Amino acid sequence: MGWNKLISSPQTPGATPWLLRHWDLLLLALFWTGVLLIRIRFLSLPFERDEGEYAYGGQLILDGIPLYRELYTLKWPGTHLSYALILALLGQSIAGVHFGLLLINTAAAAMLYPLARCWLNRPFAVFATASFLTLTLSPAAHGVIANAEHFALLWIVPGLYCLDRGLRRGRSAPCLQAGIFLQAAVVCKQPALMFVIGGCIVCAGAALSDLRCRQGWRNLAAYLAGNGIVGLTLVSLILYWGVWDDFVFWTMTYARDYTSQNSLPLAAWTFYQMLYWVIGGTWPIYVLSVIGLISAAATLPWRSSLTVGSFWLASGAAVATGFYFRPHYFLFAAPVTALLAGFAVQTVADRLQRPTWLRTGWLVGCAASLVFCFFIERLILFRITMPVAIRAIHPGYAFVESPLVGEYLKERLPADGRVFILGSEPQICFYAHRRSATGFIYLYPFFEKHPHQVAMQQRLIDQVEAAKPEYVIVTRTHPFFDPDPNWEGPLLDWIPRFLSGYEQCGIAIAKPEGVSFFDFAPAQPVPLPPAADLILYRRQTPSDQSIPIP
């Protein structure tokens, strides 16, 4: 079923030194080492808010608090559980999480190589693996951030390999494993469901190609059984946690409303903008993948074309889920894009046998294109500091200031103290290792059009008033300070009344160069909307002298 058979050398194994016979693997090892060194440089990159959610969720799990009880999220729990494991093994720190990302990305790339070898000759499988490492490192695609897509890829890549091996060899056990792996990817990030559907299409196509052979149907049944095993495990976990109703509401009811808000014209414009941004640093690989896709459609037998087409469409559908096209969504396309790029290099090289210099120039040029990708993104990858890097990736957010604010709260709040973040910065709760006064760690749902908006606001108000948090954090980068004219609900009127019982105790002001200004004893209150990026409020006691809030 492979695209090409391995071309055996006419020489005996011992005719040339091992280093010369495996020059391509040595180059891959050298390239891989460079990628690892770059990732080590990014170990101290401050968390952005998605990482903050996963880290805070993992922290709650380690403290015995299930998801969906004190942390509301539309995501399934796979990535939160993975974070909990990383935090338990590598420590509850930024560096520990990013070292875990390094290991996960290394494992995914290590499993991509044997998948590529099923379809490509060894030098071109090496190129595909190097392309995957480049795509998943790109700062434009948020590759240096420990997003859920990295954890999903850890399961998608072996799932594709097992499915390919099972169908080629006519064995059901690898198809069962493929179902388990691909469904595990869905538990980490729901858009990976598109790969599950792609696998169903490939298995069904193989079964229908020979109706008299029962093995094809056994493979399909084994694949579906693998998916079912993971699905039942997830349901059992949610029931064990006792949060079934909240799980269904957030990951199904609200998730449906969330993913149906963007219109097609807006989606098309968003896709254009994000595509231009994401492929800007790795466009040579994407160009090669287009060449590879055209070559595959023109040269492969129909069953192989069905496999390629199914998973290419699955990658695109996963990126397009909800029509938001976040940069990190494009990581879903990395495995298929890398494999198609390798196929393009091999196909053209096979057609350029003569003259030799032309074939050599093509291969050298393709290898240089990978190095060129690093040159394009050299500023973030090699030059600027980590505070400036996170500002470049996520401009306008208080991610640099969050660690110091977290330490400030950790020193002053008791272990059971609560904090209310009037914004969407769950990473502060992780840094402080203190629980949020509400399960609404993101306040974006209050500004989206859905039938639950008013009920959510009242639920937040009830939770915060019951928790009586010692500290409140107000963030500047939030639509509370520029609400929609058609706003509905009690929240905007409640906020100033609630803050009247608090006094300002600190401000943080971000600067573009990554250095922040902190003042934990401001002489004058900062007005709302705040001139600072973060404002800290402390609950007043009866003995405190009231400081009016403008």
Side-chain angles (χ1 to χ4, degrees), residues 131-152:
S131 297
F132 177 81
L133 287 167
T134 304
L135 291 169
T136 53
L137 178 66
S138 172
H142 296 181
V144 294
I145 295 171
N147 278 308
E149 286 77 11
H150 284 292
F151 295 85

Side-chain angles (χ1 to χ4, degrees), residues 107-386:
M111 289 182 286
L112 185 87
Y113 177 75
L115 172 62
R117 284 290 289 113
C118 294
W119 298 83
L120 302 169
N121 294 339
R122 195 178 72 194
F124 307 104
V126 165
F127 182 87
T129 306
S131 297
F132 177 81
L133 287 167
T134 304
L135 291 169
T136 53
L137 178 66
S138 172
H142 296 181
V144 294
I145 295 171
N147 278 308
E149 286 77 11
H150 284 292
F151 295 85
L153 289 177
L154 180 65
W155 301 105
I156 289 172
V157 174
L160 297 180
Y161 171 71
C162 289
L163 186 62
D164 181 72
R165 186 180 63 174
L167 294 179
R168 283 189 295 107
R169 298 182 180 181
R171 295 175 54 193
S172 298
C175 295
L176 175 70
Q177 296 170 342
I180 292 174
F181 289 145
L182 291 179
Q183 189 61 42
V186 179
V187 178
C188 290
K189 187 81 171 183
Q190 290 101 307
L193 177 65
M194 302 305 170
F195 288 90
V196 173
I197 296 174
C200 288
I201 294 173
V202 172
C203 288
L208 292 171
S209 65
D210 189 356
L211 296 175
R212 294 171 297 179
C213 181
R214 296 182 178 179
Q215 185 59 43
W217 299 105
R218 294 193 190 99
N219 292 342
L220 176 59
Y223 176 77
L224 294 175
N227 282 274
I229 290 171
V230 178
L232 289 174
T233 303
L234 174 63
V235 170
S236 300
L237 175 64
I238 299 302
L239 292 175
Y240 172 76
W241 278 346
V243 291
W244 178 259
D245 290 341
D246 284 327
F247 171 78
V248 171
F249 173 77
W250 287 105
T251 67
M252 298 179 188
T253 305
Y254 169 68
R256 181 187 63 241
D257 297 330
Y258 174 78
T259 56
S260 60
Q261 296 184 41
N262 287 344
S263 63
L264 287 177
L266 178 61
W269 175 245
T270 303
F271 174 71
Y272 168 76
Q273 288 183 310
M274 287 297 101
L275 185 67
Y276 178 81
W277 167 260
V278 171
I279 72 172
T282 52
W283 63 264
I285 301 175
Y286 282 95
V287 170
L288 287 173
S289 72
V290 172
I291 297 173
L293 180 65
I294 296 172
S295 302
T299 60
L300 294 180
W302 78 269
R303 282 183 59 181
S304 297
S305 296
L306 178 65
T307 301
V308 174
S310 296
F311 288 114
W312 182 77
L313 290 174
S315 301
V319 171
T321 301
F323 294 149
Y324 286 96
F325 299 105
R326 314 285 192 210
H328 49 91
Y329 291 7
F330 286 82
L331 291 173
F332 276 122
V336 174
T337 300
L339 291 172
L340 287 173
F343 182 60
V345 176
Q346 177 170 289
T347 301
V348 175
D350 288 343
R351 294 179 180 274
L352 296 177
Q353 296 294 339
R354 294 291 185 273
T356 304
W357 66 266
L358 191 59
R359 184 176 190 270
T360 302
W362 166 253
L363 296 176
V364 171
C366 290
S369 70
L370 296 182
V371 179
F372 182 63
C373 292
F374 289 85
F375 177 79
I376 295 173
E377 300 190 285
R378 65 192 181 281
L379 183 63
I380 294 180
L381 290 177
F382 302 111
R383 291 186 178 180
I384 60 179
T385 63
M386 293 302 99

Side-chain angles (χ1 to χ4, degrees), residues 9 47 74 81 102 122 187 269 283 293 313 334 338 412 441 450 499 501:
S9 171
F47 282 162
L74 55 78
L81 291 169
L102 181 152
R122 195 178 72 194
V187 178
W269 175 245
W283 63 264
L293 180 65
L313 290 174
R412 288 160 177 80
I441 58 169
H450 55 78
L499 287 180

